């Protein structure tokens, strides 16, 4: 509950800075965000980090802590040609790719169950391109300490920034 509250706090901050409504952000029973008028949104959280994005086009966001996991996950997340695009397998690349794919799926209202239908097709200096079914999604990354955040915009690159919130004072 605390992580979800922290993510909702980040969402309220996004709403305030973007001129979007401050409340009324609802989710479908499966968790996919409902747009609010022209505003699309997405949230993500880990134990100690929360992220949110609001835009006038479909968007998705994901945050993960970079830490070693089971090595069999490399093959579950990407094909060999994707690892070649990234310059090899390591945990920083793994979580950058994982967050990129999850953010791209969220931008299309889909969950991680569709991961196998996502492919990294281009790696640029400022943005990556992920293909999901017949769609191409632009994904931007930000490293924040031991975390990686990915923001995906369906129609265009999304402007965004990171703000450190204090969980002791910024929660309702």
């Amino acid at each position: 509950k605390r992580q979800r509250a922290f993510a909702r706090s980040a969402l309220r901050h996004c709403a305030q800075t973007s001129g979007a409504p401050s409340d009324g952000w609802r989710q479908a029973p499966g968790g996919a965000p409902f747009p609010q008028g022209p505003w699309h949104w997405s949230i993500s959280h880990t134990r100690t980090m929360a992220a949110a994005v609001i835009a006038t086009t479909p968007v998705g966001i994901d945050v993960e802590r970079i830490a070693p996991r089971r090595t069999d996950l490399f093959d579950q997340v990407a094909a060999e040609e994707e690892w070649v695009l990234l310059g090899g397998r390591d945990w920083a690349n793994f979580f950058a790719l994982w967050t990129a794919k999850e953010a791209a799926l969220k931008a299309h209202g889909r969950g991680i169950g569709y991961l196998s239908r996502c492919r990294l097709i281009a790696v640029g200096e400022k943005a990556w391109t992920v293909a999901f079914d017949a769609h191409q999604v632009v994904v931007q990354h930000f490293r924040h300490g031991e975390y990686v955040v990915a923001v995906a915009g369906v129609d265009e690159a999304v402007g965004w920034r990171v703000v450190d919130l204090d969980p002791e004072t910024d929660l309702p």
Side-chain angles (χ1 to χ4, degrees), residues 5-24:
F6 199 28
R8 286 295 179 149
S9 179
L11 182 63
R12 281 191 302 278
H13 180 81
C14 283
Q16 180 182 18
T17 59
S18 67
S22 61
D23 59 10

Side-chain angles (χ1 to χ4, degrees), residues 39-153:
W39 302 101
H40 298 262
W41 62 284
S42 181
I43 58 175
S44 181
H45 54 78
T46 66
R47 288 184 48 212
T48 56
M49 171 79 79
V53 63
I54 296 174
T56 55
T57 60
V59 293
I61 195 165
D62 191 43
V63 59
E64 292 288 341
R65 182 174 168 263
I66 300 169
R69 307 277 171 91
R70 299 183 340 257
T71 57
D72 64 313
L73 292 174
F74 285 108
D75 291 328
Q76 293 176 21
V77 169
E80 190 57 38
E81 56 269 14
E82 293 174 279
W83 293 117
V84 169
L85 278 175
L86 293 173
R89 298 174 184 224
D90 63 36
W91 291 112
N93 283 344
F94 174 86
F95 284 104
L97 186 54
W98 176 274
T99 58
K101 288 183 174 186
E102 188 161 355
L105 289 170
K106 286 181 173 185
H108 280 81
R110 300 287 188 259
I112 204 66
Y114 289 82
L115 183 69
S116 65
R117 292 165 55 178
C118 262
R119 289 283 179 256
L120 178 66
I121 59 173
V123 176
E125 189 175 314
K126 295 188 179 193
W128 293 3
T129 304
V130 173
F132 169 61
D133 289 344
H135 309 283
Q136 290 190 7
V137 183
V138 175
V139 180
Q140 300 170 73
H141 283 100
F142 178 80
R143 284 286 300 267
H144 190 71
E146 59 189 0
Y147 295 88
V148 62
V149 182
V151 177

Side-chain angles (χ1 to χ4, degrees), residues 1-10 12 45 170-172:
K1 286 183 180 181
R2 183 172 174 77
Q3 291 175 23
R4 197 168 288 135
F6 199 28
R8 286 295 179 149
S9 179
R12 281 191 302 278
H45 54 78
D170 291 321
L171 292 178

